[in-house]
């Protein structure tokens, strides 16, 4: 038997062939590939770095990230528009202008780093300007990284256009390479750069790579000069018709929906399902991966559309928070987002224009991304009280998959009319399901429901108890019976760590009034411990919480001398110390770590040194609330205590009716402060303490203390 002249094609062979083809394309024009890859890597490497920079001013809120996405996508659009406009210039002029602007940007970054010690432009008080938080985030990003970010955003479209003119080939494989660079930057930061390098070292490394990137740009423009091409960008010179209005609209819509769902999925995961810090990494990584696969010609098959519809159904069925369904709902949402994005991006790739119109094509894609993130980051919170936009996006993903399903490839002509009727019927079912879910989610039986930059807040009343929830996390409760309304519940009972600390200090001070500072207001439960002449100062970043605490709970009203100081606690404490007005607190309570808005800057060595500057004496107590389903914050606090030479006592327990795991760590400079029988009788050791490096303002590694839920279908409810 004669052997076949052609090797058998297997999935492994097919994959190796695609890799080999990509490597061959890179080797043919390495200057384009390296420049585009490095530019994309730096573009996404700066995003988590600037997030650390913004953290002290905005409390680590998920909305800080989603609002930042508006800036990132808008700056990307500005970069793509710049590249499109640059294409109108002659090649020599284009090269001169861009190299001049890039060099000026490099000089600006170097000067900023030398004069301020930071790669970011100084904020000059913008973060404390008093503007709306979302507007302040955008303005801060524009001032701090606007120029280098827009410059980096121009790299992919500008060099792809240059590549077309220099080689006459299609440039779309370079777009996949660009997204690969972005993907690797995003994945490597939390697992490689953040654990290994301090923030200052990360900035120096980034600046060094930026100058290497500038060198690559200059080399590329000089080594591969573009041909002088007559006409304007987007003009088609191969005889085919230029893309028309409907094709432009398709580009816009197919880019807009995945970008909108990137924000909706991130918010839904971090504020509705599992409040895990930095869970935004997963959706963004999947978003970039979908681009990589789609622009290598993958993801347009019928099976991708089928999985998208199936995942949309699963997300709909599992919608509604239940602790036992956390893993399943997360998995369904991520599968829906990935396959829905992959299908949209595959359709976008299928509708790509001839190479001469690539610059205009990228302008429409970037505009769609900017509009999608704007719609979900800014408009959705104004329209929806709850996070209903995710269900809307799921319905739209399913609709696109149904409408674009390639029926003709699988059935005969005589059945196609039935296929159209089936599609219409399924679309009606999808629309009805969304409307039903919207009606249920937006008309919940809540005493109060509101949503702003810091998330969704709701007040519920059941079984004689009123509860305050931020997203899915309990932030305090109170009996509605006037005879019991001042009985502290849940995390703050007299058996809890803070309860024992306050009782111990009260016994120590006798008739002298106590001075208590509290970072995080919630329902104001700790004011239940207030007695005549006691001084209670609450620090709260969300002014809406003060209104809710005063209107729906009576704890704060019970303590007329209680004061609520609005703003980030650390910023306020630093300002007070700067005015020589230390708090002189007997107990300083740090209670801001129970959900997704974990402000890491409140858990650094510098922060704890600031707290110690605000207490009355070495016998004063720092009470840190570290109850958290997904973070082992106890290890962080105990390592900081050891580094600062402080005594510690860990108080473990469960909240009323066993609904909440309660974990407090009490710290004091003088061990005698923790030696009372009240504290010692409740002290326990943590089952395990991780060997984590103490966090500082220059170094923090959240992933080192992260406890992810197990993603298995047979997961049992948490006990």
């Amino acid at each position: 038997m004669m052997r076949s002249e052609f090797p058998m094609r297997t999935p492994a062979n097919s994959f190796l062939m695609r890799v080999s083809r990509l490597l061959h394309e890179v080797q043919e024009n390495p200057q384009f590939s390296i420049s585009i890859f490095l530019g994309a890597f730096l573009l996404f490497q700066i995003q988590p770095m600037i997030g650390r920079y913004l953290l002290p001013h905005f409390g680590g809120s998920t909305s800080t990230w989603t609002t930042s996405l508006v800036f990132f996508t808008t700056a990307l659009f500005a970069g793509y528009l710049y590249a499109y406009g640059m294409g109108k210039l002659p090649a020599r002029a284009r090269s001169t202008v861009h190299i001049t602007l890039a060099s000026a940007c490099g000089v600006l970054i170097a000067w900023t780093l030398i004069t301020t010690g930071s790669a970011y432009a100084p904020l000059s008080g913008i973060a404390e300007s008093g503007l709306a938080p979302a507007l302040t985030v955008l303005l801060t990003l524009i001032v701090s990284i606007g120029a280098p970010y827009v410059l980096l955003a121009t790299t992919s479209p500008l060099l792809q256009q240059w590549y077309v003119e220099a080689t006459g080939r299609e440039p779309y494989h370079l777009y996949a390479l660009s997204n690969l660079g972005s993907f690797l930057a995003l994945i490597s930061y939390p697992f490689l750069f953040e654990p290994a390098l301090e923030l200052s070292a990360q900035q120096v490394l980034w600046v060094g790579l930026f100058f290497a990137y500038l060198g690559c740009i200059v080399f590329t423009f000089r080594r591969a000069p573009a041909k002088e091409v007559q006409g304007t960008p987007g003009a088609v010179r191969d005889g085919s018709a230029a893309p028309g209005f409907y094709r432009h609209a398709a580009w816009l819509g197919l880019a807009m929906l995945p970008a909108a769902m990137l924000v909706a999925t991130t918010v839904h995961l971090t504020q509705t399902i599992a409040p895990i810090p930095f869970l935004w990494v997963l959706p963004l990584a999947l978003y970039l991966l979908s681009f990589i696969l789609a622009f290598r010609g993958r993801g347009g098959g019928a099976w991708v559309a089928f999985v998208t519809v199936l995942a949309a159904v699963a997300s709909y069925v599992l919608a509604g928070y239940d602790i036992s369904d956390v893993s399943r709902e997360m998995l369904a949402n991520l599968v829906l987002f990935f396959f829905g994005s992959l299908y949209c991006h595959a359709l976008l790739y299928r509708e790509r224009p001839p190479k001469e119109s690539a610059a205009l094509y990228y302008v429409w894609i970037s505009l769609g991304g900017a509009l999608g993130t704007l719609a979900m980051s800014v408009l959705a919170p104004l329209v929806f009280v709850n996070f209903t936009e995710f269900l809307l996006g799921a319905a739209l993903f399913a609709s696109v998959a149904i409408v674009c399903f390639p029926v003709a490839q699988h059935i005969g002509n005589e059945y196609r009319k039935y296929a159209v009727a089936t599609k219409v019927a399924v679309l009606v079912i999808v629309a009805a399901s969304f409307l039903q879910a919207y009606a249920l989610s937006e008309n919940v039986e809540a005493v109060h429901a509101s949503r702003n930059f810091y998330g969704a807040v709701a007040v519920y009343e059941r079984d004689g108890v009123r509860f305050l929830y931020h997203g899915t996390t309990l932030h305090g409760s109170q009996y509605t019976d006037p005879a019991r309304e001042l009985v502290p519940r849940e995390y703050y009972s007299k058996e809890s760590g803070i309860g024992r600390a306050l009782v111990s200090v009260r016994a120590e001070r006798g008739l002298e009034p106590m001075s208590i500072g509290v970072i995080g207001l919630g329902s104001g439960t700790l004011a239940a411990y207030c007695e005549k002449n006691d001084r209670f100062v609450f620090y709260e970043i969300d002014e809406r919480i003060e209104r809710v605490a005063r209107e729906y709970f009576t704890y704060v009203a019970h303590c007329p001398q209680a004061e609520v100081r609005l703003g980030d606690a650390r910023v306020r404490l630093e300002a007070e110390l700067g005015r020589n007005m230390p708090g002189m607190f007997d107990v300083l309570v740090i209670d801001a770590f129970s959900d997704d808005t974990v402000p890491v800057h409140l858990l650094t060595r510098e922060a704890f040194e600031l707290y110690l500057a605000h207490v009355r004496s070495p016998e004063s107590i720092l009470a840190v609330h570290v109850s958290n389903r997904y973070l082992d914050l106890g290890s962080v606090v105990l390592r900081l205590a050891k580094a600062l030479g402080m005594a510690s006592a860990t108080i473990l327990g469960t909240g009323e009716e066993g609904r909440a795991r309660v974990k407090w760590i009490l710290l004091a400079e003088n061990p005698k402060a923790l030696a009372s029988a009240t504290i010692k009788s409740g002290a326990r050791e943590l089952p395990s303490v991780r060997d984590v490096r103490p966090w500082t303002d220059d170094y923090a590694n959240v992933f080192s203390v992260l406890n992810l839920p197990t993603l298995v279908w047979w997961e049992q409810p948490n006990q």
Side-chain angles (χ1 to χ4, degrees):
M1 182 180 294
M2 294 181 62
R3 290 187 179 181
S4 171
E5 191 174 339
F6 304 98
M8 182 179 296
R9 185 169 183 176
T10 66
N13 287 338
S14 178
F15 173 76
L16 291 175
M17 288 172 62
R18 289 196 299 272
V19 172
S20 177
R21 193 182 306 119
L22 178 61
L23 291 175
H24 178 70
E25 291 166 348
V26 170
Q27 289 172 358
E28 279 195 327
N29 295 278
Q31 66 273 23
F32 289 101
S33 301
I34 294 172
S35 298
I36 287 176
F37 181 88
L38 187 54
F41 186 89
L42 291 171
L43 192 70
F44 270 72
Q45 185 87 154
I46 201 172
Q47 292 184 14
M49 287 170 58
I50 195 65
R52 289 279 308 279
Y53 190 46
L54 294 174
L55 187 65
H57 307 288
F58 303 102
S61 170
T62 299
S63 296
T64 302
W65 170 246
T66 56
T67 305
S68 297
L69 280 176
V70 175
F71 165 79
F72 296 142
T73 54
T74 303
L76 196 68
F77 171 63
Y80 279 42
L81 197 61
Y82 165 88
Y84 176 71
M86 287 286 286
K88 297 182 178 182
L89 298 177
R92 187 179 298 276
R94 191 189 322 163
S95 171
T96 302
V97 170
H98 191 68
I99 289 176
T100 301
L101 291 176
S103 300
C105 190
V107 170
L108 175 64
I109 291 176
W111 176 256
T112 303
L113 182 64
I114 293 171
T115 57
T116 68
S118 171
Y120 313 128
L123 300 184
S124 302
I126 293 175
E128 284 78 47
S129 62
L131 298 173
L135 184 60
T136 307
V137 170
L138 293 175
L139 191 58
T140 300
L141 288 167
I142 291 170
V143 171
S144 59
I145 62 169
Y149 197 89
V150 172
L151 176 71
L152 290 168
T154 68
T155 306
S156 183
L158 191 63
L159 289 187
Q160 285 184 62
Q161 186 176 339
W162 195 271
Y163 176 84
V164 169
E165 296 178 1
T167 66
R169 299 175 183 173
E170 237 190 26
Y172 298 111
H173 68 280
L174 293 173
Y175 191 62
L177 186 65
S178 172
N179 282 282
L180 177 61
S182 301
F183 177 81
L184 292 178
L186 181 72
I187 294 299
S188 64
Y189 184 82
F191 296 108
L192 178 61
F193 291 96
E194 188 177 38
L197 299 174
E198 295 179 343
L199 190 58
S200 56
Q202 294 171 28
Q203 293 184 37
V204 171
L205 176 61
W206 190 91
V207 170
L209 290 175
F210 183 83
F211 278 97
Y213 157 81
L214 292 181
C216 289
I217 289 292
V218 173
F219 180 81
T220 301
F221 276 107
R222 297 306 184 199
R223 179 69 181 270
K227 302 170 184 177
E228 299 290 349
V229 182
Q230 301 300 318
T232 59
V236 179
R237 290 176 287 277
D238 62 359
S240 59
F245 170 79
Y246 290 106
R247 204 167 179 191
H248 293 165
W251 295 344
L252 183 70
L254 290 171
M256 185 175 175
L257 179 55
M261 279 299 283
L262 169 62
V263 177
T265 303
T266 302
V267 172
H268 188 64
L269 287 175
T270 57
Q271 296 198 26
T272 303
I273 301 178
I276 302 172
F278 304 134
L279 193 57
W280 53 265
V281 169
L282 279 177
L284 186 54
L286 294 176
Y287 177 77
L288 294 172
L289 185 60
S290 71
F291 261 123
I292 296 169
L293 294 175
F295 276 73
R296 294 303 297 171
R298 315 298 296 176
W303 69 274
V304 177
F306 178 75
V307 173
T308 299
V309 175
L310 195 64
V313 172
S315 294
Y316 176 81
V317 171
L318 292 170
Y321 181 77
D322 186 328
I323 191 66
S324 65
D325 287 334
V326 166
S327 294
R328 281 162 276 185
E329 191 172 358
M330 282 178 60
L331 188 59
N333 291 173
L334 290 171
V335 168
L336 168 65
F337 173 67
F338 173 68
F339 283 97
S341 297
L342 178 60
Y343 195 63
C344 287
H345 291 153
L347 294 175
L348 189 62
Y349 178 71
R350 190 182 70 185
E351 293 298 317
R352 69 193 184 280
K355 56 183 179 293
E356 293 83 5
S357 296
L360 181 63
Y361 174 64
Y362 288 128
V363 168
W364 282 104
I365 290 177
S366 60
L367 178 60
L371 292 177
T373 55
L374 179 67
M376 290 302 184
S377 297
V378 178
L379 300 182
L382 300 177
V383 175
F384 301 117
V385 173
N386 293 306
F387 303 108
T388 316
E389 63 268 22
F390 176 80
L391 291 176
L392 173 60
L396 291 175
F397 262 156
S399 300
V400 170
I402 292 166
V403 170
C404 299
F405 191 88
V407 176
Q409 299 176 8
H410 303 281
I411 64 174
N413 293 334
E414 66 274 18
Y415 297 109
R416 291 185 184 177
K417 61 181 179 180
Y418 301 110
V420 173
T422 302
K423 284 186 176 183
V424 172
V426 174
L427 286 175
V428 171
I429 294 173
V430 168
S433 299
F434 166 72
L435 291 175
Q436 179 191 32
Y438 171 76
L440 292 174
S441 64
E442 292 295 305
N443 295 283
V444 294
E445 296 180 0
V447 177
H448 166 86
S450 63
R451 184 177 173 186
N452 68 1
F453 179 84
Y454 296 103
V457 165
V459 179
Y460 299 96
E461 205 172 283
R462 56 179 179 264
D463 301 327
V465 180
R466 185 168 287 179
F467 300 89
L468 172 63
Y469 279 89
H470 189 282
T472 59
T473 303
L474 180 65
H475 276 219
S477 61
Q478 184 176 32
Y479 291 109
T480 56
D481 180 1
R484 305 174 66 196
E485 65 180 3
L486 293 180
V487 176
R489 292 171 42 86
E490 304 291 355
Y491 308 116
Y492 313 103
S493 70
K494 291 187 177 181
E495 297 301 314
S496 68
I498 184 57
R500 292 174 183 272
L502 293 175
V503 169
S504 177
V505 171
R506 175 81 66 194
E508 180 68 25
R509 293 191 63 81
L511 298 178
E512 293 184 36
M514 293 193 304
S515 178
I516 310 298
V518 185
I519 297 176
L521 175 61
S523 62
T525 307
L526 287 178
Y529 289 93
C530 179
E531 295 185 4
K532 186 178 180 180
N533 296 326
D534 284 344
R535 172 174 169 260
F536 274 69
V537 179
F538 292 91
Y539 296 88
E540 174 58 49
I541 197 169
D542 186 357
E543 63 179 12
R544 169 191 50 167
I545 297 298
E546 180 182 6
R547 295 196 300 270
V548 171
R550 292 186 183 278
E551 184 173 351
Y552 297 99
F553 300 88
T554 63
Y555 293 122
V556 178
H558 162 70
C559 188
Q561 63 272 32
E563 178 185 357
V564 179
R565 298 177 182 174
L566 296 174
D568 180 83
R570 182 163 170 187
V571 173
R572 291 298 305 262
L573 289 170
E574 287 174 344
E576 291 165 11
L577 196 62
R579 296 195 300 269
N580 197 26
M581 297 172 58
M584 302 297 290
F585 298 122
D586 296 301
V587 179
L588 180 55
V589 185
I590 301 95
D591 182 20
F593 312 119
S594 55
D595 60 9
D596 72 300
T597 57
V598 174
V600 174
H601 66 295
L602 298 180
L603 274 175
T604 66
R605 179 171 184 145
E606 292 84 351
F608 274 66
E609 289 172 346
L610 176 65
Y611 303 151
L612 292 176
H614 276 273
V615 297
R616 187 188 302 276
S617 69
E619 287 73 37
S620 298
I621 296 175
L622 297 182
V624 189
H625 188 194
V626 293
S627 304
N628 193 292
R629 291 193 297 267
Y630 305 108
L631 289 177
D632 178 16
L633 297 179
S635 294
V636 178
V637 173
L638 290 177
R639 292 302 180 191
L640 281 171
K642 183 178 180 180
L644 293 170
M646 301 180 69
S648 65
T650 302
I651 312 294
L652 307 177
T654 56
E656 199 164 319
E657 301 175 12
R659 278 196 299 268
R661 294 175 178 175
V662 183
K663 187 187 299 181
W664 287 87
I665 296 180
L666 308 181
L667 307 174
E669 291 182 284
N670 189 338
K672 292 182 180 179
L674 307 178
S676 69
T678 303
I679 293 176
K680 291 182 69 174
S681 63
R684 303 287 187 273
E685 289 188 4
L686 285 178
S688 63
V689 178
R690 304 188 191 192
D691 186 19
V692 296
R693 175 179 168 183
W695 291 0
T696 67
D697 287 349
D698 209 27
Y699 173 87
N701 183 9
V702 173
F703 279 88
S704 67
V705 293
L706 188 58
N707 297 316
L708 286 173
T710 305
L711 291 175
V712 293
W713 187 261
W714 54 87
E715 178 189 17
Q716 297 298 315
N718 290 339
Q719 299 299 320

